[in-house]
Amino acid sequence: EDKVVQSPLSLVVHEGDTVTLNCSYEVTNFRSLLWYKQEKKAPTFLFMLTSSGIEKKSGRLSSILDKKELFSILNITATQTGDSAVYLCAVFLFTGANSKLTFGKGITLSVRP
Amino acid sequence: DGGITQSPKYLFRKEGQNVTLSCEQNLNHDAMYWYRQDPGQGLRLIYYSQIVNDFQKGDIAEGYSVSREKKESFPLTVTSAQKNPTAFYLCASSIRTGAQGDTQYFGPGTRLTVL
């Protein structure tokens, strides 16, 4: 059975802290890993990772994939209260007509002022 | 504005009733998806469709039905056979489902409560 496991499940930090969110996976037919941020409603896309060791960066957020050890991390530096959200990791499994995303349970991040 | 719309935002239903959730996109995306989100459970795939007039069951299709008569629209019906329908329902779309995967873009969701 395909599994995507995120850790920790929840995290409370203070503004200015740096956080690292983890996503590990045990799947067949892996093609890519995606990170989303969900504040209240619709998840918004952050990153798609397909190659090991290549960091993707957007402002204070960055992410990297390790296809040998089967995990990804999402780093947020100098956190702000606006970073408070649920962060979702998803793995794209390619099986032709049945290709799909499998999501982890999400990490709830709370950033205190 | 391009995007995905879902309606209604909130929906209340009595037990034993079927209810249909709307999802429309004007992004010209081929693929559309329905997910269910429960507290602490992440997103679980209900149904998806890669082209018009074709759709596949996801991981938790029992008690749900869909149709894809138009590229822009992918309505989800929650039937009375769904044992625990109270949840947050998210619709998504992507350009296509290619070998690397395409980014899925989400609508704002419908919160369904069964009374």
Side-chain angles (χ1 to χ4, degrees):
Chain A
E1 184 184 338
D2 297 317
K3 284 196 299 188
V4 179
V5 178
Q6 293 187 249
S7 63
L9 288 182
S10 65
L11 193 56
V12 180
V13 301
H14 287 98
E15 271 192 313
D17 288 349
T18 294
V19 298
T20 298
L21 310 180
N22 302 292
C23 177
S24 64
Y25 58 92
E26 292 179 33
V27 302
T28 54
N29 301 307
F30 172 90
R31 286 296 184 269
S32 60
L33 186 145
L34 292 84
W35 284 97
Y36 286 86
K37 177 183 181 182
Q38 184 178 26
E39 291 181 79
K40 294 256 194 244
K41 298 175 184 173
T44 53
F45 171 74
L46 294 175
F47 299 110
M48 177 190 278
L49 305 159
T50 55
S51 301
S52 266
I54 298 175
E55 185 183 56
K56 292 225 173 170
K57 200 168 169 64
S58 176
R60 296 176 294 102
L61 276 66
S62 63
S63 185
I64 198 160
L65 175 66
D66 185 327
K67 289 166 76 172
K68 183 179 175 186
E69 300 297 330
L70 308 182
F71 76 92
S72 172
I73 59 171
L74 174 68
N75 277 323
I76 308 174
T77 59
T79 51
Q80 303 170 357
T81 54
D83 295 325
S84 296
V86 176
Y87 289 85
L88 298 165
C89 169
V91 171
F92 181 72
L93 312 175
F94 182 70
T95 55
N98 294 323
S99 300
K100 60 180 184 177
L101 282 179
T102 295
F103 281 82
K105 293 186 177 182
I107 297 171
T108 301
L109 174 65
S110 299
V111 181
R112 300 268 167 86
Chain B
D1 280 2
I4 304 173
T5 56
Q6 290 185 243
S7 61
K9 188 174 174 181
Y10 298 97
L11 189 56
F12 297 89
R13 181 195 104 175
K14 291 184 181 177
E15 272 193 53
Q17 289 180 337
N18 291 357
V19 63
T20 298
L21 282 57
S22 168
C23 177
E24 305 274 333
Q25 54 97 2
N26 60 4
L27 301 168
N28 200 33
H29 285 174
D30 288 317
M32 296 186 74
Y33 312 82
W34 273 106
Y35 293 92
R36 170 182 171 138
Q37 187 173 33
D38 296 281
Q41 290 296 319
L43 273 63
R44 292 184 289 169
L45 183 64
I46 305 173
Y47 268 99
Y48 59 109
S49 166
Q50 297 186 19
I51 55 172
V52 175
N53 292 321
D54 188 45
F55 47 83
Q56 288 81 39
K57 291 183 179 180
D59 300 316
I60 54 164
E62 187 175 346
Y64 299 98
S65 65
V66 293
S67 62
R68 187 88 187 275
E69 296 175 3
K70 298 187 298 183
K71 189 175 184 178
E72 305 79 24
S73 178
F74 191 41
L76 172 75
T77 297
V78 184
T79 75
S80 56
Q82 168 49 234
K83 298 274 187 271
N84 186 18
T86 295
F88 187 52
Y89 291 87
L90 284 161
C91 177
S93 70
S94 63
I95 294 175
R96 64 192 177 278
T97 306
Q100 293 286 355
D102 287 298
T103 302
Q104 291 183 17
Y105 297 92
F106 287 84
T110 293
R111 189 165 298 280
L112 172 65
T113 302
V114 174
L115 303 172

